[in-house]
Amino acid sequence: MTFKYSTGVGRITAYSQCSRFAAPREGMLSATKFPTTAAANVSAFRVDKKKLWLRVAYPVKASEQRNFKAAHSSLGDGIDETATGSATTARSRRLLKVREEKRRREYERIHKYPAWAKVLEDACRHDDELRAVLGDSIGNPELMRKRVQERVRTRGRDFSKSKSGSVLAFKVSFRNFNPLDSYIWFELYGSPSDRDVDVFGSVIQSWYVMGRLGAFNSTNLQVANSSMNYDPLYDAEKGFKVMPSSFHDISDVEFQDNWARVWVDLGTADSMAIDVLLNCLTVMSSEYLGIQQVVFGGQRMGDWEDGMTNPEYGYKSFKI
């Protein structure tokens, strides 16, 4: 097949010498459809049995492509934006589902979360000790309840205080005190916890053990009566020959509400044993367990009820 191009007045005519295309066919190559411009470039053509295809490439700048898409988008001519936005739409659906789940959990937390647990969470922001007590239980009401109950049982109800002692000095009084057969009464600021009972009972027990071993003997104070400016001399033979001075007996420490008592028989121990005990109680009251007053002697103090040993009514004891 041979093509011959001739230029006329704005027209291109294609001739075919093939027997099947003896005469020019209208509409095959028309200048009205394909203007003869320098930008036009015939890239390929294909002859079919029925049609002749001619593809002409027009180089278009990127800015012109953007203008073309914008124009057609505004006119709504055949450009589907949903195809390009399908991924964004799926992501939006996932984010929406996550937000709805988060709102649901927040709603359940606000409307079904116990009020007391919310109060504890708020208090943790300003209380380091309470935050240490709750630990990783925040958000779990049942576990928070167990942690608080354990804290109250071991250290008392005032868990917001970092120091459980008292800044006030306790009062000391004597009421017909007999060193061989008397009670010593202690009035506390509140009902003691199990930990308080252990601390208080340990102090009394230590005091009794030292008295039992003869620690409170004023007749053998060799170092106390010596000057410490020079190395003091201690006479072991004199200390060995000193008359023993020791406690005879003591009872268990009993607690009823905010009162505690212990029966003592100081035996041959000197009265300095009382000073040593008061010195110990002074520091303990300041640092650990607050004491309002200490009474030596007397048969009954406060609301004490003899024979009442039921723990349900506030009775506790420490075995010496």
Side-chain angles (χ1 to χ4, degrees), residues 18-73:
C18 183
S19 60
R20 297 181 59 184
F21 302 95
R25 304 183 66 177
E26 296 181 359
M28 293 193 81
L29 296 177
S30 175
T32 57
K33 294 185 178 181
F34 302 98
T36 56
T37 59
N41 182 22
V42 177
S43 62
F45 64 89
R46 179 181 179 183
V47 178
D48 198 355
K49 291 182 180 181
K50 296 182 179 180
K51 297 182 180 179
L52 176 65
W53 298 91
L54 180 64
R55 187 169 63 243
V56 180
Y58 289 87
V60 184
K61 297 181 180 179
S63 59
E64 295 177 353
Q65 291 181 358
R66 288 194 296 269
N67 295 337
F68 175 80
K69 283 189 66 175
H72 281 267
S73 297

Side-chain angles (χ1 to χ4, degrees), residues 84-97:
T84 59
S86 59
T88 305
T89 304
R91 180 174 180 272
S92 300
R93 288 196 298 268
R94 289 194 298 269
L95 293 177
L96 180 61
K97 186 176 181 180

Side-chain angles (χ1 to χ4, degrees), residues 32-168:
T32 57
K33 294 185 178 181
F34 302 98
T36 56
T37 59
N41 182 22
V42 177
S43 62
F45 64 89
R46 179 181 179 183
V47 178
D48 198 355
K49 291 182 180 181
K50 296 182 179 180
K51 297 182 180 179
L52 176 65
W53 298 91
L54 180 64
R55 187 169 63 243
V56 180
Y58 289 87
V60 184
K61 297 181 180 179
S63 59
E64 295 177 353
Q65 291 181 358
R66 288 194 296 269
N67 295 337
F68 175 80
K69 283 189 66 175
H72 281 267
S73 297
S74 60
L75 295 175
D77 292 341
I79 297 179
D80 189 5
E81 293 293 333
T82 59
T84 59
S86 59
T88 305
T89 304
R91 180 174 180 272
S92 300
R93 288 196 298 268
R94 289 194 298 269
L95 293 177
L96 180 61
K97 186 176 181 180
V98 170
R99 286 195 294 266
E100 290 177 352
E101 182 66 19
K102 184 177 180 181
R103 284 196 296 266
R104 185 185 63 80
R105 290 196 302 265
E106 184 68 16
Y107 178 85
E108 291 181 354
R109 190 185 71 83
I110 294 175
H111 292 81
K112 296 182 180 181
Y113 202 64
W116 59 265
K118 186 66 170 64
V119 172
L120 286 180
E121 286 188 8
D122 295 339
C124 286
R125 301 174 184 175
H126 310 287
D127 194 328
D128 295 337
E129 185 178 3
L130 179 58
R131 185 162 55 251
V133 170
L134 296 179
D136 58 353
S137 66
I138 296 178
N140 187 341
E142 292 302 322
L143 187 56
M144 292 172 65
R145 186 194 300 275
K146 292 180 180 179
R147 294 283 179 87
V148 172
Q149 288 177 346
E150 179 66 17
R151 170 61 173 79
V152 171
R153 188 186 68 81
T154 56
R155 296 193 60 184
R157 294 183 178 276
D158 192 4
F159 54 78
S160 63
K161 290 180 63 177
S162 59
K163 198 174 180 179
S164 56
S166 173
V167 296
L168 301 177

